[in-house]
Amino acid sequence: HRKRYGYRRIQRTLATQGETCSEERVRRIMRERGLKAIQPKGFKPTTSDGRADKPSPNLIATSGLPDQPDQVWAGDITYILTESGWIYLAIIIDLYSRRIVGWEIADNMRATLVVAALNNALDSRPKAKERIFHSDRGSQYGSRLFRSLLAAEGIKQSMSARANPYDNAWTESVIGTIKRELIGDGKFQGKEDAKMAIFEYVEGYYNTIRMHSSLDYLSPDAFEEQLLTRTN
């Protein structure tokens, strides 16, 4: 796991392989052998009020979190340093399973970036009725281009309340995980290098393998499969 797992996740991984041991034993063995996981930094949402024209209401505040996949998606943008300069990553997660359902990178922060990420999400997931898309009040999400795509797909728009960054904390937390576990203190050579590495991390690790404590230590894919098994 490339130093991404601490003793709790390692203990659960061993359990799935038939190895019975306590968290404390794993912790002791790791300490004795000098094995340390990447330490998460204190998380503090930084979402700003943004400049969206006519901000949409916060639908999550009234409807709550979803109990099925593809009911509520949430998106955000972050910046990534490369040897060629800054690039920008837009991601979309499913708030039920924390799965990254769509993403895109670009060398600018125009509305086309978030539109491309949403189109990628729509291509990768089944159609759903009355889907909600939540974000902060960034101008990209309030743009005519982005809102026209939402309208064409029958998606309701939701935005964080003014001066309340915790309204989109889920997406910011995932972005923090990507930066900590994939990039660390390094940087990519350029846009194509970043795109390949992000693809491998998202599709080959984050969605399919990485355990999430909020999902009862299942990966997003396994969490969705568990629901499918129960409903069938």
Side-chain angles (χ1 to χ4, degrees):
H1 295 277
R2 302 184 182 181
K3 299 184 179 181
R4 295 164 180 159
Y5 270 19
Y7 68 91
R8 293 185 180 89
R9 288 189 173 93
I10 289 177
Q11 186 271 333
R12 283 164 175 79
T13 302
L14 290 170
T16 64
Q17 298 171 359
E19 291 286 348
T20 302
C21 58
S22 67
E23 289 183 357
E24 196 53 44
R25 185 182 181 194
V26 174
R27 189 179 189 181
R28 175 177 57 79
I29 293 171
M30 289 180 67
R31 184 170 60 245
E32 289 173 350
R33 304 194 179 202
L35 301 175
K36 295 182 180 180
I38 299 169
Q39 295 301 308
K41 297 178 181 178
F43 173 66
K44 182 179 180 181
T46 56
T47 305
S48 67
D49 288 341
R51 302 185 305 278
D53 182 37
K54 296 181 181 179
S56 299
N58 186 343
L59 301 179
I60 298 178
T62 55
S63 64
L65 292 176
D67 57 6
Q68 298 279 336
D70 297 308
Q71 291 181 334
V72 183
W73 290 351
D76 203 357
I77 306 171
T78 192
Y79 53 89
I80 295 173
L81 181 62
T82 75
E83 294 180 358
S84 306
W86 294 103
I87 60 173
Y88 302 91
L89 168 67
I91 72 163
I92 299 173
I93 67 169
D94 187 299
L95 285 193
Y96 172 76
S97 63
R98 304 299 194 269
R99 190 181 198 276
I100 298 175
V101 294
W103 60 275
E104 187 57 86
I105 61 173
D107 54 10
N108 62 75
M109 289 183 68
R110 290 192 284 270
T112 49
L113 171 62
V114 294
V115 166
L118 180 55
N119 274 321
N120 290 339
L122 290 167
D123 288 342
S124 71
R125 301 294 282 179
K127 290 187 177 295
K129 293 182 179 179
E130 299 185 353
R131 179 179 284 148
I132 293 172
F133 182 90
H134 184 80
S135 71
D136 61 18
R137 298 185 174 200
S139 59
Q140 298 87 351
Y141 297 110
S143 67
R144 231 183 275 177
L145 187 65
F146 187 75
R147 283 176 162 166
S148 64
L149 177 57
L150 292 179
E153 295 293 334
I155 301 173
K156 297 179 180 178
Q157 187 172 40
S158 170
M159 287 184 167
S160 299
R162 187 175 181 82
N164 193 345
Y166 285 91
D167 281 357
N168 200 27
W170 315 281
T171 319
E172 288 201 35
S173 177
V174 172
I175 285 175
T177 297
I178 294 172
K179 285 190 166 184
R180 182 176 69 252
E181 295 188 351
L182 177 62
I183 305 170
D185 296 325
K187 59 183 176 181
F188 297 113
Q189 292 179 348
K191 180 180 173 183
E192 292 308 313
D193 178 39
K195 194 164 189 174
M196 178 66 71
I198 293 169
F199 174 82
E200 290 176 348
Y201 176 80
V202 170
E203 305 300 338
Y205 185 73
Y206 181 91
N207 283 342
T208 57
I209 297 173
R210 187 186 185 277
M211 293 178 176
H212 291 244
S213 56
S214 62
L215 305 178
D216 195 23
Y217 288 93
L218 295 173
S219 69
D221 280 5
F223 192 72
E224 291 188 1
E225 288 170 8
Q226 184 184 70
L227 174 68
L228 185 61
T229 301
R230 288 201 308 265
T231 55
N232 287 343

